[in-house]
Amino acid sequence: MTQRPGTKGLIFNEPNVWDKSREGRCAISLPKADVERSPLDPALTGDTPNLPQLSELDVVRHYTRLSQWNFGVDSGMYPLGSCTMKYNPKTNEVQAARQGFAGAHPLAGDECSQGALRLMYDLERSLAEITGFDAVTLQPAAGAHGELTGMLIIHAYHAKQGRQRSKIIIPDTAHGTNPASATLCGYKSVNLKSGPKGILEPEAVAEIMDEETAGIMITNPNTLGLFEENIKEICEIVHAKGGLVYGDGANMNAIMGVVQPGKLGIDVLHLNLHKTFSTPHGGGGPGSGPVAVNEKLTPFLPVPRVEKELDTFKFVTDCPDSIGRLHTFYGHFGVMIKAYAYILTMGAQGLLDTSRLAVLNANYIKESLKGTLNLPYDRPCMHECVFNDAKQQEYHISTMDMAKRLLDYGFHPPTVYFPLVVDGAFMVEPTETESKEDIDQFIDAVKAIAKEAQTDPEKLTSAPVLPKVTRLDEVAAARKPCLRG
């Protein structure tokens, strides 16, 4: 390894803004009032909030210094498996900020919102085509909200059949929020272990699927980064007992343009626009978790729905079997704009290439590192690959030690200790946007760290030493959190 992206430069200390506050300092100049002062009713007023008093220079330096402590996808590789921390084209941010969209008022009415309604309608149709479903709602606010929406739809479907069910099957390779979504709908989660290949076995599904079970929640590709090869057979088993199949589409970036989940037998699927379709994941949101359904479940979609009549678009709320409204107005419109711009600029071939490159990059890392780290499931992966620390344990080095040491090499650590089915998991998702040079640099860093584990393990157990903040006392942080503001 000839050069590391990580180094130690001039990093400023910076206190909290309340510690910098001085009486009388102000960073803004309010315009002169053009109306007479009028005292408010004391019942409507309260104590003055404890806001810091700072000059403009104080504020600029404060946030500039804090930004230099941060690591983001704009500054380096972010191999956070299962969360698609990929780079997103800035042009999509520009489209979302256009005055016609940013200034649109949600109470303007259908007649004055034709452009926004058309965008939502076209985006729904695009997502339906990509996923192979009949209808889509854009209303859910994020991935877990989409999961809840999907489960509410399944719940409403069974209620409509005249007999509610009590259980839902959730594999051990599903995303962690799936059981919570099922529980909120009154279902008891039934855990299903994956087979020795890391994927579901139809025989195991058939053994526990019965007429008390509402369905199954399948993450595909699953959290091991593996494609569920038996998905069609599993769907047939569940349908034969009157159940429904929920697809967790958070990992859609691995199969976009390649597989249409709706054609495999899945009944309802959620997507994460804020991961696969060009909105940064994390950072406080907002997200967007559209839900796609087949024709059988279309009547249960939330309202309002966008419909096209001749050349005009309108919101429709007269849907008697709908699960109702799930969000104010129609969801996070700004995220929809970015997703729509992304789909249009990429085109069908571009979306296909995106998935292929994400899978290629993950398999390149898997093959490059499988002699360095232990690979529990040594088979072709999709968009992410899962290692663990089994080879480093004899040197008393853990996955956490390796992740911390990566910070010194200038890389954000990957997801660690998830999925739970792999002890000491070290999950890497390079995404499709990283170049071969950057991926090779990451591979070299992991290999160098693995060598240090043998020759100088102290470097790992004391890491990180270069970042502004070194290794934290995580137990104290969890049990005695210090929160100010």
Side-chain angles (χ1 to χ4, degrees), residues 3-11 407-411 465-468:
Q3 187 177 31
R4 302 176 184 177
T7 184
K8 192 175 183 69
L10 180 59
I11 301 175
L407 293 169
D408 287 333
Y409 278 78
F411 291 97
V465 295
L466 293 182
K468 174 70 173 65

Side-chain angles (χ1 to χ4, degrees), residues 12 18 31 43 106 115 130-131 154 160 169 177 247 264 269 294 343 391 468:
F12 293 98
W18 281 269
I130 291 169
T131 56
I154 289 176
K160 185 72 175 180
I169 300 171
T177 48
L264 300 177
L269 174 101
N294 57 22
I343 291 170
K391 290 187 176 181
K468 174 70 173 65

Side-chain angles (χ1 to χ4, degrees), residues 95-315:
Q95 313 315 321
R98 291 189 180 281
Q99 182 59 28
F101 290 133
H105 197 286
L107 294 178
D110 295 356
E111 186 177 347
C112 297
S113 305
Q114 285 297 296
L117 287 171
R118 177 177 179 179
L119 185 148
M120 288 189 282
Y121 180 87
D122 288 347
L123 177 57
E124 286 184 353
R125 297 317 309 158
S126 296
L127 295 176
E129 183 177 349
I130 291 169
T131 56
F133 284 94
D134 295 293
V136 172
T137 176
L138 304 174
Q139 200 173 134
H145 200 201
E147 286 177 25
L148 175 62
T149 303
M151 294 312 298
L152 287 171
I153 289 172
I154 289 176
H155 191 273
Y157 169 81
H158 285 300
K160 185 72 175 180
Q161 308 313 304
R163 181 173 177 273
Q164 191 51 264
R165 301 187 176 201
S166 60
K167 300 180 292 183
I168 197 87
I169 300 171
I170 301 181
D172 57 3
T173 51
H175 276 130
T177 48
N178 287 184
S181 298
T183 300
L184 286 171
C185 293
Y187 291 127
K188 177 185 176 183
S189 298
V190 178
N191 184 50
L192 175 62
K193 288 187 176 300
S194 50
K197 292 182 178 180
I199 60 175
L200 296 177
E201 296 181 325
E203 299 78 12
V205 177
E207 190 173 331
I208 59 175
M209 182 64 206
D210 58 26
E211 294 181 351
E212 284 300 314
T213 303
I216 186 171
M217 299 181 80
I218 300 177
T219 300
N220 193 23
N222 65 29
T223 54
L224 288 169
L226 304 176
F227 187 78
E228 294 289 350
E229 299 171 0
N230 304 309
I231 187 69
K232 280 189 172 180
E233 189 175 352
I234 290 170
C235 289
E236 291 171 1
I237 292 169
V238 174
H239 289 157
K241 295 288 185 179
L244 296 172
V245 179
Y246 175 86
D248 184 317
N251 292 337
M252 187 71 189
N253 65 308
I255 58 175
M256 183 170 54
V258 181
V259 176
Q260 290 179 297
K263 305 299 184 187
L264 300 177
I266 293 171
D267 298 287
V268 51
L269 174 101
H270 95 264
L271 299 166
N272 285 1
L273 292 189
H274 55 284
K275 291 167 63 174
T276 304
F277 296 97
S278 190
T279 292
H281 185 221
S288 182
V291 171
V293 296
N294 57 22
E295 186 177 9
K296 177 169 61 179
L297 297 181
T298 299
F300 304 99
L301 285 172
V303 291
R305 300 196 58 205
V306 182
E307 289 191 358
K308 182 180 181 182
E309 190 172 284
L310 298 178
D311 291 329
T312 60
F313 302 86
K314 62 180 180 180
F315 279 131

Side-chain angles (χ1 to χ4, degrees), residues 244-423:
L244 296 172
V245 179
Y246 175 86
D248 184 317
N251 292 337
M252 187 71 189
N253 65 308
I255 58 175
M256 183 170 54
V258 181
V259 176
Q260 290 179 297
K263 305 299 184 187
L264 300 177
I266 293 171
D267 298 287
V268 51
L269 174 101
H270 95 264
L271 299 166
N272 285 1
L273 292 189
H274 55 284
K275 291 167 63 174
T276 304
F277 296 97
S278 190
T279 292
H281 185 221
S288 182
V291 171
V293 296
N294 57 22
E295 186 177 9
K296 177 169 61 179
L297 297 181
T298 299
F300 304 99
L301 285 172
V303 291
R305 300 196 58 205
V306 182
E307 289 191 358
K308 182 180 181 182
E309 190 172 284
L310 298 178
D311 291 329
T312 60
F313 302 86
K314 62 180 180 180
F315 279 131
V316 173
T317 57
D318 183 18
C319 306
D321 290 329
S322 167
I323 61 171
R325 182 184 285 274
L326 289 170
H327 196 280
T328 52
F329 302 110
Y330 201 75
H332 292 149
F333 183 60
V335 182
M336 299 175 202
I337 299 168
K338 286 181 270 191
Y340 188 56
Y342 181 74
I343 291 170
L344 290 183
T345 53
M346 294 295 286
Q349 186 62 47
L351 296 178
L352 174 63
D353 290 343
T354 290
S355 295
R356 287 173 170 172
L357 288 171
V359 173
L360 175 65
N361 288 350
N363 278 279
Y364 179 67
I365 289 179
K366 176 180 71 69
E367 290 299 311
S368 299
L369 289 179
K370 71 179 185 181
T372 302
L373 303 177
N374 183 54
L375 184 65
Y377 297 94
D378 188 2
R379 49 190 313 227
C381 65
M382 299 301 290
H383 62 303
E384 58 194 9
C385 48
V386 182
F387 303 95
N388 69 5
D389 56 8
K391 290 187 176 181
Q392 284 69 42
Q393 286 178 1
E394 66 175 294
Y395 310 112
H396 306 290
I397 293 299
S398 67
T399 288
M400 185 61 73
D401 296 326
M402 292 189 285
K404 296 292 187 185
R405 184 62 174 151
L406 268 173
L407 293 169
D408 287 333
Y409 278 78
F411 291 97
H412 190 286
T415 296
V416 294
Y417 300 103
F418 183 84
L420 300 178
V421 289
V422 174
D423 289 336

